[in-house]
Amino acid sequence: MRAARLIKMVLLLQNRPSMTAAELAAELEVSERTVTRDALALSEAGVPVYADRGRAGGYRLVGGYRTRLTGLARGEAEALFLSGLPGALRDMGLEDAASAARLKVSAALLPSLRDAPRSAAQRFHLDAPGWYQEPETPELLAPLAEAVWDDRPVSARYRRGDGEVARELEPYGLVLKAGVWYVCARAGASWRTYRVDRFGAVEVREERFVRDPDFDLAAFWSERSAEFARSLLRAEVVLRLSEAGARRLPYVTDRAAAEEAVAAGVREEDGRVRVTLRVENEEVAFGQLLGLGAEAEVLAPAALRERFTETARAMADRYR
């Protein structure tokens, strides 16, 4: 562990002109006394670490010294590709690997490019969770992430309905969707998607499974999420939309269903378009279509039209 800390110290000093003992202690998560001892150990090993005394003093490398200890380990390289997701890295237990990878990449850059990582971080940030909810880290995310990275099967208990079921899984990938973690796994001969927060127990086994080289996580997730979205749309609503209503429909309900409905719609004499929209159910449709106001008229089913009629009458009375 000390060897890794010494390497990190050299890389930090290589990336900056000078660092105080306090700054190094904060980066390395040790005391300033430990920093002093580590600097002495590096000097004795032939690394030209120099300590400037005084209030503006600090540690620096002398004579343009550059370490060649910049080769990325496999875990560091994998974590580097996720470095735009600091929260996700932390949740999966990969924060240290990503930090080491970023240091090594920075150390390998030309001095004129040293500020590139900081410059990018100031300009771009990915905030994965949706609005109006506090993301929670599933308790068993870390062992599942370990299994995914190492191609190890897991024996798991998964909550389904009112009970738990046992599952033997080969976890292929993790997906963070609007603050919710999912694992895509092979269960026997079939491929399944599981919510990580519904696992009651996960045991990572010692052996490794052989990954299917043709598996494409992004394509698999896109296909399954589209199937899931379509499976929810079990009812139909007939609408008459103004031009503004047709434009806004994809923003209040399922986008694919809305675009499909408008494309297949029939233009009427008054310029409005009559569409048949697939929805989850009448209750959900009421809440969604209410946002269109007078730009949409519900024609069927009759019960939903009557509900809109009553709501419009009540609103008119309220604002009279």
Side-chain angles (χ1 to χ4, degrees), residues 76-145:
E76 294 169 347
E78 291 170 334
L80 185 61
F81 286 100
L82 295 171
S83 58
L85 292 165
L89 282 167
R90 182 179 59 254
D91 295 345
M92 290 189 291
L94 296 172
E95 191 171 27
D96 289 343
S99 176
R102 286 192 293 269
L103 269 175
K104 290 181 177 182
V105 169
S106 296
L109 293 174
L110 293 172
S112 61
L113 301 176
R114 264 321 139 62
D115 67 339
R118 180 172 177 270
S119 176
Q122 288 175 333
R123 289 164 172 79
F124 300 101
H125 174 68
L126 178 60
D127 184 8
W131 290 104
Y132 313 119
Q133 58 179 327
E134 287 295 327
E136 296 184 3
T137 303
E139 182 180 351
L140 297 173
L141 176 60
L144 280 169

Side-chain angles (χ1 to χ4, degrees), residues 18-76:
S18 177
M19 293 184 70
T20 66
E23 290 172 337
L24 283 168
E27 290 280 358
L28 300 172
E29 298 181 352
V30 296
S31 67
E32 293 186 32
R33 186 181 296 273
T34 299
V35 169
T36 301
R37 288 198 298 264
D38 286 351
L40 179 61
L42 287 171
S43 181
E44 292 174 350
V47 178
V49 178
Y50 181 78
D52 290 318
R53 305 296 179 183
R55 292 183 60 186
Y59 292 92
R60 60 187 176 88
L61 293 175
V62 181
Y65 177 86
R66 293 184 62 81
T67 176
R68 295 186 180 274
L69 298 173
T70 53
L72 293 180
R74 179 179 179 84
E76 294 169 347

Side-chain angles (χ1 to χ4, degrees), residues 15-306:
N15 288 333
R16 306 184 195 178
S18 177
M19 293 184 70
T20 66
E23 290 172 337
L24 283 168
E27 290 280 358
L28 300 172
E29 298 181 352
V30 296
S31 67
E32 293 186 32
R33 186 181 296 273
T34 299
V35 169
T36 301
R37 288 198 298 264
D38 286 351
L40 179 61
L42 287 171
S43 181
E44 292 174 350
V47 178
V49 178
Y50 181 78
D52 290 318
R53 305 296 179 183
R55 292 183 60 186
Y59 292 92
R60 60 187 176 88
L61 293 175
V62 181
Y65 177 86
R66 293 184 62 81
T67 176
R68 295 186 180 274
L69 298 173
T70 53
L72 293 180
R74 179 179 179 84
E76 294 169 347
E78 291 170 334
L80 185 61
F81 286 100
L82 295 171
S83 58
L85 292 165
L89 282 167
R90 182 179 59 254
D91 295 345
M92 290 189 291
L94 296 172
E95 191 171 27
D96 289 343
S99 176
R102 286 192 293 269
L103 269 175
K104 290 181 177 182
V105 169
S106 296
L109 293 174
L110 293 172
S112 61
L113 301 176
R114 264 321 139 62
D115 67 339
R118 180 172 177 270
S119 176
Q122 288 175 333
R123 289 164 172 79
F124 300 101
H125 174 68
L126 178 60
D127 184 8
W131 290 104
Y132 313 119
Q133 58 179 327
E134 287 295 327
E136 296 184 3
T137 303
E139 182 180 351
L140 297 173
L141 176 60
L144 280 169
E146 175 191 348
V148 167
W149 288 118
D150 291 342
D151 295 339
R152 296 185 186 275
V154 300
S155 300
R157 302 287 301 177
Y158 188 74
R159 291 188 294 275
R160 192 177 66 179
D162 295 330
E164 281 191 345
V165 294
R167 288 287 183 264
E168 298 294 325
L169 304 175
E170 294 179 353
Y172 268 62
L174 288 163
V175 175
L176 179 59
K177 170 71 171 179
V180 180
W181 284 96
Y182 298 85
V183 61
C184 304
R186 185 162 56 186
S190 62
W191 295 91
R192 302 287 178 85
T193 301
Y194 301 88
R195 276 185 63 139
V196 174
D197 58 5
R198 291 181 184 169
F199 282 96
V202 170
E203 179 186 351
V204 182
R205 304 216 300 266
E206 290 297 322
E207 69 270 20
R208 284 185 166 86
F209 63 86
V210 179
R211 291 180 69 92
D212 181 348
D214 295 327
F215 178 77
D216 184 327
L217 178 60
F220 173 82
W221 177 258
S222 178
E223 179 183 345
R224 288 305 173 92
S225 56
E227 288 177 0
F228 176 72
R230 287 194 297 270
S231 72
L232 294 176
L233 307 180
R234 303 186 180 96
E236 288 187 346
V237 174
V238 181
L239 306 171
R240 186 180 285 128
L241 300 169
S242 67
E243 289 189 11
R247 287 196 305 269
R248 289 168 51 191
L249 186 63
Y251 298 97
V252 300
T253 186
D254 181 84
R255 176 176 292 273
E259 292 176 347
E260 178 183 318
V262 172
V266 177
R267 184 72 61 179
E268 298 188 341
E269 291 183 2
D270 61 359
R272 292 188 292 175
V273 60
R274 183 188 182 104
V275 304
T276 299
L277 175 70
R278 291 183 296 119
V279 296
E280 188 172 343
N281 55 51
E282 290 186 22
E283 183 65 30
V284 171
F286 175 77
Q288 293 173 335
L289 298 175
L290 197 61
L292 294 180
E295 305 301 333
E297 178 188 358
V298 175
L299 303 178
L304 184 60
R305 178 180 174 86
E306 179 60 26

